Each structure stands twice: as structure tokens, then as C-alpha cells.
Amino acid sequence: MAHIVAVTACPTGIAHTFMAAEALRRAAQAAGHTVRVETQGSVGTQDALSAADIAAADAVILAADVNIDESRFAGKTVVRASTQDAIRDAAALIGRAAPGGTATPAAPAAASGPLHVVGITACPTGIAHTFMAAEGLEGGAKKLGYTAKIETQGSVGAGNTLTPEDIRRADLVVIAADTNVDLSRFTGKRVYVTGTKPAIKDGSEVIRTAQAQATVHGASATGGADASSPDFVAQAAAAKASKNAGVPPFYKHLMTGVSHMLPFVVAGGLLIAIAFAIGSFQFGDQGIFIYEDKYAGTLGNTLFKIGANGAFGLFVPVLAGYIAFSIADRPGLAPGMIGGFLAGLTGSGFLGGIIAGFLAGYIVLWLTRSIKLPRTLEGLKPTLLLPLLGTLAVGLLMMFVIGKPVAAALTGLTTWLQGLGNTSAGLLGALLGAMMAFDMGGPINKAAYTFSTGLLGAKVYGPIAATMAAGMTPPLALFLATLVFKNRFTKDEVEAGKAAGVLGISFITEGAIPFAARDPLRVIPSLMVGSAAAGAISMAAGCLLRAPHGGIFVLFIPNAVTNLPMYVVAILAGTVISTVMLGVLKKPLDADGLPIVKNAPQAVNAAD
């Protein structure tokens, strides 16, 4: 019996990573060997191999589609393959790793060439210490005979930015920063964190210390039997991130703005809904008009002003500001927010805010690259020149060129939506619903949600009702399907269905992604049909939603939903339709989670 250790990894770190790991475990068990598998992916490193595990191993299997740090396996026999190889023929890989197989010894760590170091430096002001620390690390690496690339995160944005290829090649990551730095890019890499002062004082000493003390980022603190099975919510969150990976920069910048905008929209919408509830309780049916001046000073009217004038008044500036921030870093924030505020003044709403954000971002980015100053005067750029020139350019464009035409377009769109008949509204609801279920948290889902949320500022509440109903349907349908059609799902999926149900009632569509990743051709069409039905019924019935999030919990707030009975019908109808389709399209599975194939007819004996 051989003791084997393995590492599996794929670019997204979800489906193929875990499928390859499970295939290797089953093949090893069938062959009478033991195997311990470390998975590296977007949810971090799970069931990390310890030094003792590696020392006791007879062989190592690396089933990976991305670069793996092999230095810790020096001297061990190694089998290299892709995750597809492990999924399709794990038994062959186990056979190669077993004694007498064709595994080859790993090259000693020293044979891999000079160490390649990457790093990030940052300080609160982003000027002097940031660049001095970068120079210290680069000089220290050169002194040790290593190569280095250091990204500076300063007040004028990121400089010498690390590319995915730089990070893939890196043997060591050094973070010399006095502010918080996002380390998500370095999952699976050996990372050492310190301040800027040690890097300025002696960069070579910092790198030597990093070699001795760096730890693998994202590795679990402990292994354990459960470490190889990350919880369902973590898988869903990671799947959401992977769906947004590789999208165009335009989408990434827009989603940065939307993600920062959403808390304002949600808080404002819920406060408005609570204000209506209080108004109805105090003044009966007329309380729905709690926003009128005659109710000034009442609790309901005050809450309405906080939500409508406070939170809703800020969401367009925040949207524009963080779009610009995503493009040009901190210097773009002020011009972007001011441009978003001017979008409100000109009546161009969220459409004007999006345009203002992109204008501010690219104008400030151009100014950052075009204005060259001596290093002693660099501090003037982020504090004086960029905010002034960026705001001036964006402000003039919004007031004299963009504001009025976009305001007219938004008014036309609002009038058209408010004048839709039942049939046309149903078709729009079906389209929004299908988009919500198509990629469940990806670009198309977010496009439908952003469109619907943006219309809240124009007091158009139908599309957001349709998108929330349609977004709740996919995980709810999978929860119901795992109860009604258990034989169509693996044991793990049946357990995960419970978590999907909780995510569904909370309006977290991403709860359906792990199921769709395993069987996309059957699951995604089933979910799209149900979500389209939910969206169509909601829009055709005239359901309106004043709170853009919250799932089923919002339904208990009086007047938060107009035509509540039909809204509940829409959610239930979409859920049932998707559940039935899942039961019809998915195939029954055996005890091992494999599709049941009927035995072929036995051949008839010629003598008979």
C-alpha cells in the first residue's frame, strides 16, 4: 500500500478542482492506497498538506491547470497532469504514483533558478514611503541575486502593476505596507507582510526574513476531514467571483460603482417602506402619502425624508464616484462624486451618473499620466491638481453637454415603462427574469439588477419587483427539487439544497451556482424558465417593490410590496416550474452519484 499526497487546482478553483480531488480519492481507495489531497482555488487552500504529510509520502500527484509551487516537494517522485486527466482517468495517475509506476523525481528547489520576488508597497499618504520601500525591496533583491517586481499603491493610483503572469511566476510575495492591502490575488502563494520602514532600512534583510517566515496565503489553519469540503455558502461566494473574472474592464468599473451604491439603495428603500408602514398604521389608507408636507414632523414623514432625500440622494454620486475610483484610484473619487451630484441636479439620474463616473475616471487617469512633476512636488497632484482639473472638466461637460440630453432620455424611458400594458409588462418581466437566472450573479444578472435598481430614483418600482422574484426562484427551486427528486442529486447536493433554500429566501441567487456548475445543460435552462415565469407574472400583475433587497423578509413590511398576493404567487409559480423541469431533465443517480444506465439487451445465443 502506497501513501500518496496530491494537489489539485484549476483557474476558477471550483468545479474541476474538487472533481479532480474526489476522483483521486476514489481511485486510491479502490487500488488499496491512501491519498491526502490539497485543493487550491478561489475559496483558498483547503486541507493543506503539512510538512509531515509530504515527508511521509511515497509520491506526489500534481493535477493542476495553473502553476503550482513545487519547492516543498523537492526530492519526491512527482506525477504531473491536468485536472481533466484526473477526472477522466484517476486510476492511471494513481498507478503511475504507486511503487513501480512512471513518476519522476522532482528537481531540487535550487535548480529552479533565481528567486522571483513580487511585492506591494503602500503608506497612508501614498507618496514618499511607498516609493522608498519599493526601491529598498528592488535593491535588496538585486543584491541577493534575485529578480523583483514591486507594485506601488500610492495616492495617484497603482504603479508598476503586477499582472496575473507576474504573480503566477512568483516564488515569494512581500507586502511592505502601512495600510490595508487586498491579498486575494496571492491565494496559494507564500506571502510575508511587514511595514514600509523595514523595507526602506534594509530590503535584502526583509527578503531573507520573508524566505524563512512566509506562509501560504489562504491555507486552512488546520486540516481535518472536513477541510476538503468547503461549506456551501463559501462555494457559492467563490463561484460568484469566478463568474465575474475575465470580464471587460468596463463591466468591472461599473460593478465597483454598483457594489458601493447598493447599501445606500437598500437602506433608503427599506426606510421608505417602513415610513409607508408607519403612515398606514397612523393615518389608514391615506398614510401611503406620508411624503406629503401635511405629514411633516411625523415619524413616518421623517423616515421617508431620511430614505428618499438622504440615502437615495447619495446613491448616484456614490455610483459615479466609485466608477471613477475603479478607473483612476483615489484621485478619481472627488470628480466622480461631484459629477454624480450634478447628474442629480440636471435630472439625468443614474444614467447620467454612470456617464459622469466613466468621464471622471478616464479624464483623471489621463491627467495622472500626462502631468509630470519633480518627485518633491508629486504631493501636489493628488491633493490639488487632479481634483481641481478633473472636477472642472467633468462639471462643465455635465452642465453644458451631457446633462440635458440624458435627462430627456431618462424621462422618455420612465414614461414608456409607466405606460406599459399587461402584455408588454409581462414580456419585459420575463426578459428580466431570464437574465437573472442565466448566469446567477454574473454580468447578465447584474445588468438586469442594475437597470431595475437605477429606476428607483425615477419612482419606477415594477422592474425591481420582477428581478427580486426571479432572483429568489433559482435557489428556492433547487431546495425544493432536492426534497422532491432526491434521486436526481448526490448526497452532498441534497445537503447543500438546505443552504440554497436559505440563500433563496434571502434573495441571493448565487446559491444556485454550485448546482449549475455540475450540470449546466440541464440546470440553467430549468432555472431560466422558472425565473422568466416569475418575472412575467410579477410585472403583468402590476406588483411594485420599494425595497430593492431583503428577499422574503421585506414582504412582511406593510406597503413595501404592492399587490402582495400576486407577488407571492409569482415566486411560488416560478419555483414550482423550475422544480418540475429539474425533475424531468436531470437523470436518476446511483449510490455513487453516477447516472443510472440501463443494461443493454443480452445477445441471443445463435444455437437458440
Side-chain angles (χ1 to χ4, degrees):
M1 181 179 73
H3 177 60
I4 301 167
V5 295
V7 178
T8 63
C10 68
T12 60
I14 307 171
H16 283 193
T17 297
F18 297 113
M19 291 167 66
E22 185 60 26
L24 289 172
R25 291 189 188 100
R26 292 187 180 186
Q29 184 178 14
H33 304 307
T34 62
V35 67
R36 183 175 174 85
V37 186
E38 172 185 303
T39 57
Q40 294 184 6
S42 50
V43 294
T45 300
Q46 305 292 330
D47 203 12
L49 298 173
S50 66
D53 292 328
I54 297 170
D58 299 305
V60 179
I61 297 176
L62 302 179
D65 306 321
V66 295
N67 185 62
I68 296 292
D69 179 10
E70 298 187 24
S71 59
R72 53 188 173 146
F73 304 120
K76 291 290 179 181
T77 54
V78 176
V79 174
R80 298 176 181 83
S82 67
T83 55
Q84 288 279 12
D85 294 333
I87 294 168
R88 291 172 180 167
D89 197 354
L93 296 182
I94 295 294
R96 289 171 58 192
T102 58
T104 57
S112 60
L115 204 69
H116 179 57
V117 180
V118 299
I120 294 176
T121 61
C123 67
T125 58
I127 306 173
H129 283 194
T130 298
F131 298 103
M132 292 166 67
E135 290 175 359
L137 291 177
E138 289 168 350
K142 186 176 181 181
K143 185 177 177 180
L144 295 170
Y146 302 153
T147 60
K149 181 175 180 179
I150 309 299
E151 175 181 307
T152 56
Q153 294 187 358
S155 54
V156 294
N160 201 29
T161 306
L162 298 175
T163 65
E165 177 61 21
D166 292 328
I167 297 170
R168 187 192 68 79
R169 291 178 50 235
D171 301 301
L172 183 67
V173 180
V174 178
I175 308 297
D178 304 322
T179 60
N180 184 53
V181 172
D182 180 12
L183 301 180
S184 59
R185 292 183 285 172
F186 306 117
T187 297
K189 291 291 180 179
R190 297 181 66 238
V191 178
Y192 176 73
V193 180
T194 186
T196 56
K197 288 184 179 179
I200 294 170
K201 183 179 179 181
D202 191 344
S204 58
E205 178 60 27
V206 168
I207 293 174
R208 279 194 291 265
T209 303
Q211 286 180 266
Q213 299 182 12
T215 58
V216 178
H217 178 63
S220 304
T222 59
D226 295 331
S228 63
S229 302
D231 68 85
F232 180 80
V233 176
Q235 286 190 45
K240 175 183 177 180
S242 72
K243 278 185 171 291
N244 293 335
V247 297
F250 174 90
Y251 173 81
K252 291 183 178 179
H253 301 322
L254 177 61
M255 285 303 105
T256 299
V258 170
S259 65
H260 285 85
M261 171 196 79
L262 279 180
F264 294 85
V265 180
V266 172
L270 289 172
L271 283 171
I272 291 170
I274 294 170
F276 285 141
I278 292 173
S280 299
F281 178 77
Q282 286 184 308
F283 307 108
D285 292 342
Q286 292 302 309
I288 193 70
F289 303 107
I290 194 71
Y291 52 84
E292 293 182 351
D293 291 339
K294 65 180 180 180
Y295 297 111
T298 64
L299 178 59
N301 182 266
T302 302
L303 292 178
F304 180 85
K305 287 179 179 177
I306 295 171
N309 301 338
F312 271 27
L314 285 172
F315 89 71
V316 173
V318 169
L319 170 67
Y322 279 94
I323 289 173
F325 175 84
S326 177
I327 298 169
D329 216 286
R330 279 178 282 179
L333 191 58
M337 283 194 168
I338 293 168
F341 180 79
L342 295 176
L345 287 184
T346 58
S348 54
F350 82 100
L351 292 177
I354 291 172
I355 295 171
F358 279 101
L359 275 176
Y362 285 114
I363 287 172
V364 171
L365 183 63
W366 178 77
L367 290 171
T368 301
R369 293 172 176 174
S370 300
I371 299 175
K372 304 296 182 183
L373 295 175
R375 176 163 287 188
T376 54
L377 298 177
E378 275 290 319
L380 291 176
K381 282 173 68 174
T383 57
L384 175 63
L385 295 178
L386 298 179
L388 172 63
L389 297 177
T391 300
L392 179 64
V394 174
L396 291 174
L397 285 170
M398 289 301 298
M399 297 302 290
F400 292 112
V401 180
I402 295 167
K404 291 183 179 179
V406 176
L410 182 62
T411 301
L413 174 63
T414 302
T415 303
W416 174 72
L417 288 170
Q418 291 174 336
L420 285 175
N422 289 347
T423 302
S424 299
L427 291 174
L428 176 60
L431 175 62
L432 292 172
M435 291 172 69
M436 290 296 290
F438 178 73
D439 55 0
M440 294 161 280
I444 294 176
N445 170 286
K446 285 294 183 286
Y449 185 71
T450 301
F451 168 78
S452 304
T453 304
L455 291 170
L456 291 174
K459 298 182 179 179
V460 177
Y461 303 111
I464 190 62
T467 55
M468 190 165 91
M472 293 168 66
T473 296
L476 287 175
L478 284 159
F479 164 67
L480 185 57
T482 56
L483 295 179
V484 178
F485 303 107
K486 284 188 177 181
N487 65 336
R488 265 71 166 176
F489 300 90
T490 65
K491 292 181 180 178
D492 289 341
E493 286 177 323
V494 171
E495 286 300 311
K498 299 172 185 176
V502 174
L503 295 175
I505 64 174
S506 305
F507 181 36
I508 301 176
T509 316
E510 291 82 3
I513 296 177
F515 294 88
R518 294 185 182 99
D519 193 4
L521 296 181
R522 296 181 179 89
V523 172
I524 292 177
S526 302
L527 301 182
M528 287 180 67
V529 173
S531 290
I537 294 171
S538 175
M539 285 285 287
C543 299
L544 307 178
L545 178 67
R546 289 174 174 81
H549 217 292
I552 196 173
F553 306 104
V554 175
L555 308 187
F556 298 103
I557 302 175
N559 297 317
V561 181
T562 300
N563 199 358
L564 179 58
M566 284 305 299
Y567 195 60
V568 174
V569 168
I571 296 171
L572 293 177
T575 300
V576 170
I577 289 171
S578 287
T579 300
V580 171
M581 288 195 64
L582 287 167
V584 171
L585 295 181
K586 286 183 71 66
K587 304 299 182 185
L589 305 178
D590 61 20
D592 294 323
L594 301 174
I596 296 175
V597 180
K598 293 182 179 179
N599 292 329
Q602 296 293 324
V604 179
N605 193 307
D608 294 334

